[in-house]
Amino acid sequence: MASPKVLQMDIKKHRRSIASRSLDRRQNDVQADLSNYLGAGFYGLNVTVGTPGQNVLVVLDTGSSDFWVPVTGSDICTSETDLCDVFGSYDPTQSDSSSGTNADFDAAYGDGTQVSGQYINDNVAFASATVTGAIIGAAATGSTSDPLTGIMGIGYVNAEAISTIDNDPADIHPNIVSQLKSQGIIDTMAYSLWLNDLDSDTGSILFGGLDTTKFTAPLVTLPVLPDETGNFSMLSIAWTGIGFSDGSSSPQDLTTSSFPIGALLDSGTTASIIPDDLASSIQSGLGVIQDPTFGPLLPCSAGDDNTQGFTFTLGGSDGASITVPLNELLYPQADANGDPLTFDDGTAACMFALQGGADEAGLAILGDAFLRSAYVVYDLDNNQISLAQTVFNATDSPNIVDISGQGALPSASAPASTITASAVALSKTLPGGVTGETRTAGSVTGSASLGGFTGSATFRFNPTGTGGSHTAGGAASTSSHSAANPGVRYGGVDSAAVVAVVVAGLGVMGGMAWVLY
């Protein structure tokens, strides 16, 4: 009997700023460890490029499709001080297997990142696999609001940067996932993602297979929603409802008129971008304070009660149901010196990771804040995504199952009815790309104060998104959601030097701490 073709890699978590890096529209099994770099807010893969191999850290991104790396000694490396030294870069002139192309590489992302260069063919190795003649964007120039590293986009080839610039399907080329299949490394263009919890250093990705010990049944299969052209360009499914439970009563339905809505399951986005009316209701109900620099804030202690959380319904009432604990949505923040962000009584302040912006984008983005609580199987060959509740910190011996490519996944079931693209709200047919919410660092001004937080927030949801309170010093005090600065302090650093750094993560690489989408 032939051995299963499965490629497994660990992924490690890194930290960065909270802005979507989904590609802007203008333009058999392998397991890999995913590194969650604490503070950098992205999940990274260590790969080697060229012959001999040159080490480069790249972001694992289901929301885009290109594989690109910074070029050694180029403007992109010299402008991003030391980052190429820390995360690695690629010099095609030092590779015996590189060959040039006549195609320009130019990609723009929703957080303002723009990179340009040339497409190059060279070998890329990770885990136990080597993709020969991979098509690589060798990025030499660019700009970004965040510290920069390369990206391994593993979405549909229809979303490649070269095809979005002039919308010419003839420009589309095989990407890493399609080359894994065409070179016989995996049997089908499918992979499963397990990010583990917020405190974990690593997760994993299985190309061509799934691990039945990493999730709790049922594993429910849903159709991917096509874009406005009828093609498949984004890994999006129908998000049909949401509820909140405090562990002591029946879940409270928070579903708004924005539903159903298409939702991109994007490992390249740290937070989750949701409809504005839903964000307003949830943030008001939790007593979230809006800070112009650090965004929506709650005391980190609001997540101490691990019975509280949100249940996401996808694909209809008989579809997938994923519960996200509240403590998985609270990201500690720090200033540029790495000092913890606190309220003025010393209570640690966390960014709340359910944020508005989907109305403008025409699409919700369920990023790492959601994906950590789900085991997700992306099947690009059959245009379907399967989800189950994750098992955090799984300790059972792995049971890795090959995905055959015949459409039906092992251990998976399909709902009795499905939601079609024509039924989703906002942009009734999904856009071919999405621009995410951008958050930039800035000065914290004003003197509004929350007072002393001594316990968890009081949860008072209401359908209009008004009100909300906090427990402060033993008494309820109504929060001002437009406060310029809710008693936030940041280690005595001059405000002009403050940079929001969100802990989204799973481990620190080379002492660096920053965030990426």
Side-chain angles (χ1 to χ4, degrees), residues 484-505:
N485 174 9
V488 173
R489 63 182 183 185
Y490 37 89
V493 178
D494 181 81
S495 61
V498 174
V499 177
V501 181
V502 178
V503 176

Side-chain angles (χ1 to χ4, degrees), residues 250-482:
S250 299
Q252 182 173 353
D253 184 14
L254 305 178
T255 306
T256 69
S257 59
S258 295
F259 288 81
I261 181 174
L264 173 66
L265 303 187
D266 183 10
S267 67
T269 294
T270 304
S272 287
I273 309 304
I274 65 176
D276 292 337
D277 59 351
L278 177 63
S280 176
S281 177
I282 289 176
Q283 292 184 11
S284 179
L286 289 172
V288 167
I289 294 298
Q290 295 289 344
D291 182 83
T293 297
F294 297 98
L297 299 176
L298 274 175
C300 299
S301 58
D304 288 350
D305 183 352
N306 58 16
T307 66
Q308 297 169 335
F310 295 88
T311 297
F312 292 69
T313 302
L314 303 115
S317 59
D318 58 350
S321 180
I322 304 297
T323 297
V324 180
L326 179 58
N327 55 24
E328 288 292 316
L329 300 171
L330 297 174
Y331 297 170
Q333 293 195 328
D335 62 25
N337 290 338
D339 295 319
L341 185 72
T342 67
F343 294 98
D344 58 5
D345 68 343
T347 299
C350 278
M351 188 207 74
F352 181 59
L354 296 183
Q355 304 179 7
D359 292 23
E360 180 179 356
L363 182 74
I365 303 176
L366 298 183
D368 299 336
F370 167 83
L371 292 173
R372 278 189 295 271
S373 296
Y375 190 88
V376 186
V377 184
Y378 299 83
D379 185 349
L380 281 66
D381 270 344
N382 295 292
N383 302 314
Q384 59 190 24
I385 292 175
S386 302
L387 301 97
Q389 190 72 40
T390 196
V391 174
F392 288 135
N393 303 303
T395 57
D396 290 347
S397 297
N399 179 36
I400 296 174
V401 180
D402 189 27
I403 299 174
S404 67
Q406 300 303 310
L409 292 177
S411 306
S413 61
S417 59
T418 57
I419 304 296
T420 63
S422 61
V424 299
L426 296 185
S427 61
K428 296 297 184 181
T429 53
L430 297 180
V434 60
T435 300
E437 181 185 47
T438 299
R439 291 203 175 278
T440 57
S443 301
V444 176
T445 58
S447 58
S449 175
L450 284 180
F453 278 102
T454 59
S456 298
T458 300
F459 299 93
R460 298 182 181 176
F461 288 109
N462 59 77
T464 60
T466 59
S469 65
H470 295 281
T471 301
S477 61
T478 301
S479 62
S480 170
H481 296 280
S482 60

Side-chain angles (χ1 to χ4, degrees), residues 65 155-160 175 224 232-235 379-380 383:
S65 303
Y156 285 110
V157 294
N158 288 334
E160 288 171 348
N175 66 1
V224 173
F232 294 97
S233 58
M234 292 188 297
L235 292 164
D379 185 349
L380 281 66
N383 302 314

